[in-house]
């Protein structure tokens, strides 16, 4: 689709926006979410669930942010990116006013409490929502050239603390970030052959552009940069050898004492070696459940479990359902 046509379409009012555009001086709250969700006054529980935006097979979702509507305080269990295509966007992150201008992108970590003021006719904001599971160790390795983003995604994926992390990137007068986002948006709105692969490629390019454009990255000590680089290498090694890895073998590979490796992973990722190992095995088991007809016991053995009962216990601990229920749920998911 021609990008200029897409930009014109984004400026058109949806039926939902028309409903609220008559009284922009008295912006209404986002009643649609309030109809679907029961938000507690306790901010610790005001979480927009992943399933509200994501279909089971989706890792990345693109939306045009609805105008004329005030979004009340909330937080997500997924990562959110807000890109200002035109106009401005006033947001409140942990009660602090943040003004985003044209070309700015705000990257919000999981659990950040934020609200968004109503947008006017000229304020076109693109929301990009990303599951934390989208960021595997291979992607983290690609981002390891910038300690800022590595820290950000490691916190989002592994630590999952209720921290108030957000980063604002400015595209300035450049248009490359804008073009990449619009190209990805076009693939999302008008899917064609291999559109999912195209979107994944655009996401990598978007993150690459963010890395290149961030000129004010705080300088970290060489020791901290080295530690993050090592963590990325360890995660990549574990990803490639998940079936047979042990703490001792991994420690030997990176010339650490096993106790030191344990402390390193726990302090940087918030998880033990065993927890990460099970996470990788179950992740690959999910891929086999979704894409093969292998019996579940065979899948358990294939990803490195010799104790089938323990495999079922580990799977349910991570996903809340059994492997059979997971496979059935994915088979019912729309193509």
């Amino acid at each position: 689709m021609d990008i200029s046509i897409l930009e014109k379409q984004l400026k058109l009012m949806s039926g939902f926006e028309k409903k609220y555009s008559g009284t922009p001086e008295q912006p209404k709250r986002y009643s649609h979410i309030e109809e679907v969700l029961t938000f507690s006054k306790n901010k610790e529980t005001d979480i927009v669930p992943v399933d509200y935006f994501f279909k089971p097979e989706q890792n990345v979702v693109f939306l045009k942010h609805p105008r004329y509507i005030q979004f009340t305080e909330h937080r997500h269990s997924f990562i959110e990116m807000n890109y200002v295509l035109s106009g401005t966007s006033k947001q409140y992150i942990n009660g602090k006013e943040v003004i985003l201008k044209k070309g700015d992108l705000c990257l919000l970590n999981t659990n950040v409490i934020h609200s968004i003021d109503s947008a006017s006719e000229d304020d076109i904001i693109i929301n990009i929502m990303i599951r934390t599971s989208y960021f595997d160790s291979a992607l983290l390795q690609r981002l390891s050239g910038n300690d800022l983003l590595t820290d950000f995604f490691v916190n989002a994926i592994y630590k999952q603390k209720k921290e108030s992390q957000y980063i604002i990137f400015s595209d300035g007068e450049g248009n490359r970030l804008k073009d990449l986002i619009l190209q990805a948006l076009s693939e999302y709105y008008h899917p064609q052959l291999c559109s999912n692969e195209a979107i994944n490629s655009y996401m990598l390019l978007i993150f690459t552009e963010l890395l290149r454009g961030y000129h004010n990255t705080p300088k970290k000590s060489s020791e901290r940069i080295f530690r993050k680089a090592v963590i990325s290498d360890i995660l990549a090694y574990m990803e490639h050898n998940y079936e047979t890895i042990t703490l001792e073998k991994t420690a030997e590979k990176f010339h650490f004492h096993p106790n030191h490796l344990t402390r390193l992973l726990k302090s940087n990722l918030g998880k033990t070696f065993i927890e990460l190992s099970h996470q990788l095995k179950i992740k690959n088991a999910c891929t086999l459940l979704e894409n093969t007809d292998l019996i579940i016991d065979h899948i358990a053995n294939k990803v490195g479990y010799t104790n089938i009962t323990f495999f079922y216990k580990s799977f349910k601990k991570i996903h809340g359902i059994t492997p059979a229920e997971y496979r059935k749920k994915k088979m019912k998911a729309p193509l």
Side-chain angles (χ1 to χ4, degrees), residues 93 98-100 104-107 166-170 214:
I93 303 176
V98 175
I99 305 293
L100 302 176
D104 286 350
L105 182 146
C106 183
L107 177 61
Y166 69 98
I167 310 174
I168 296 175
F169 302 86
S170 181
Y214 196 84

Side-chain angles (χ1 to χ4, degrees), residues 16-73:
F16 189 73
E17 288 175 325
K18 289 178 181 177
K19 178 180 177 181
Y20 292 96
S21 63
T23 56
E25 69 281 358
Q26 294 181 333
K28 297 187 178 181
R29 296 174 183 269
Y30 192 8
S31 59
H32 183 51
I33 280 185
E34 291 175 348
E35 290 170 6
V36 177
L37 307 175
T38 303
F39 274 4
S40 165
K41 290 183 180 179
N42 179 358
K43 294 177 183 177
E44 295 299 310
T45 59
D46 290 349
I47 303 178
V48 180
V50 171
D51 291 344
Y52 181 75
F53 290 109
F54 294 83
K55 294 178 182 177
E57 73 280 8
Q58 288 180 314
N59 286 315
V60 181
V61 172
F62 290 81
L63 294 172
K64 185 186 84 168
H65 182 78
R67 293 168 288 184
Y68 311 111
I69 305 150
Q70 179 184 2
F71 283 68
T72 56
E73 281 193 339

Side-chain angles (χ1 to χ4, degrees), residues 39 73 75 104 127 151 160 212 278 283 285 287 329:
F39 274 4
E73 281 193 339
R75 56 192 177 97
D104 286 350
N127 300 134
D151 275 350
Q160 295 179 342
R212 290 175 175 175
H278 286 309
K283 171 189 167 185
T287 300
K329 181 179 178 181

Side-chain angles (χ1 to χ4, degrees), residues 243-260:
E243 305 102 319
T244 57
I245 52 172
T246 64
L247 175 62
E248 290 72 22
K249 285 182 181 179
T250 307
E252 183 180 357
K253 167 74 176 176
F254 292 92
H255 310 292
F256 290 137
H257 188 280
N259 291 343
H260 178 68

Side-chain angles (χ1 to χ4, degrees), residues 299-312:
I299 289 175
N301 290 327
K302 196 171 181 65
V303 299
Y305 284 95
T306 55
N307 186 321
I308 305 302
T309 301
F310 191 56
F311 166 72
Y312 277 84

